[in-house]
Amino acid sequence: MPESPQSSGGILSSLSASSHPMVCIFHVLFKGLALFMYLFGGLFAKDSTGGASGANFIIVTVTCMLLLAADFWVVKNITGRLLVGLRWWNKVEGDTTTWIFECAQNRQVNKFDSSVFWTVLYATPLIWSVFFFFGILRFHLRWLIIVVMALSLSMANVYGYYKCSSDQKARFQNMMQRGAEAGAMSVIRSSMLGYLAGTPQQPTQEQRSFV
């Protein structure tokens, strides 16, 4: 099989650009295992009649939840700190809970590590959102337990690291600003063209454009 060495070589060459290749692998590992168990766990949860076995369903659900919890802990405490120099945590003092968002100062972040971290971090809740949508359409309500937990944990990490990273917040704000400016310019152009053509302005949904 001539393609296997090339594909494995491509993965190894990509990881060679990373400062923390093993951390990148673990950043993806538990997410991939949880997705695999969710997608194919139903095959193991079926009984001899083809229906869903209660005991097997519980085993698959618990396994997925353990993998999701492990992924949440790894991303929150290890991969964020090593790959992009960010960390978020909470401190409890009596009845007061303080959320702390930290960013390493004067640290050079590897571009490959940063790309892997942010891409996987943002893609994870999007993927689980798709599964949530299809789960509702197919009325697979029992399996939504896994999806809701996955969405909650992944969105918690997204929010935490978004609060940590001033660079990511600046990029997001610039993107929203460019979109608002493009929409405003489109409305102004439409209004001017309508005025020059002698037709009154009619603000409708179609006059908006987004980039």
Side-chain angles (χ1 to χ4, degrees):
M1 293 183 295
E3 294 183 0
S4 296
Q6 294 179 0
S7 59
S8 61
I11 295 175
L12 292 176
S13 63
S14 298
L15 288 176
S16 65
S18 171
S19 300
H20 304 281
M22 289 302 299
V23 178
C24 288
I25 291 175
F26 276 95
H27 187 61
V28 181
L29 178 63
F30 291 111
K31 296 178 179 65
L33 292 176
L35 284 171
F36 178 84
M37 283 299 299
Y38 176 77
L39 290 174
F40 301 103
L43 300 177
F44 305 102
K46 291 182 179 180
D47 54 20
S48 58
T49 62
S53 172
N56 292 336
F57 171 77
I58 292 174
I59 293 174
V60 173
T61 302
V62 171
T63 302
C64 285
M65 289 185 173
L66 290 175
L67 290 171
L68 292 170
D71 174 71
F72 175 78
W73 186 88
V74 168
V75 173
K76 178 179 177 293
N77 297 290
I78 299 178
T79 63
R81 177 170 54 87
L82 295 178
L83 296 182
V84 291
L86 302 175
R87 184 176 64 171
W88 67 276
W89 51 289
N90 66 311
K91 180 173 62 176
V92 180
E93 296 179 349
D95 296 333
T96 304
T97 301
T98 303
W99 293 92
I100 301 173
F101 306 96
E102 298 178 334
C103 177
Q105 299 295 329
N106 301 323
R107 174 175 174 174
Q108 294 293 332
V109 177
N110 183 285
K111 291 184 178 180
F112 178 85
D113 292 344
S114 178
S115 177
V116 169
F117 178 83
W118 291 112
T119 301
V120 175
L121 184 73
Y122 289 144
T124 301
L126 294 178
I127 294 173
W128 285 110
S129 297
V130 173
F131 291 144
F132 181 81
F133 176 75
F134 283 107
I136 292 179
L137 288 181
R138 298 179 179 180
F139 295 99
H140 292 170
L141 301 182
R142 291 200 302 175
W143 293 102
L144 288 180
I145 298 174
I146 301 173
V147 180
V148 170
M149 180 177 180
L151 277 173
S152 301
L153 295 179
S154 60
M155 287 302 298
N157 268 328
V158 168
Y159 177 77
Y161 283 112
Y162 170 77
K163 293 284 289 185
C164 290
S165 175
S166 58
D167 178 64
Q168 289 296 315
K169 287 191 288 185
R171 290 182 182 179
F172 181 78
Q173 290 171 356
N174 289 335
M175 180 182 67
M176 295 299 294
Q177 183 178 0
R178 289 195 300 268
E181 290 174 353
M185 290 301 297
S186 176
V187 172
I188 292 173
R189 287 195 299 267
S190 299
S191 300
M192 292 184 65
L193 289 175
Y195 177 79
L196 294 175
T199 57
Q201 178 188 359
Q202 296 181 354
T204 62
Q205 192 77 16
E206 287 74 13
Q207 291 179 347
R208 288 183 169 182
S209 64
F210 297 90
V211 294

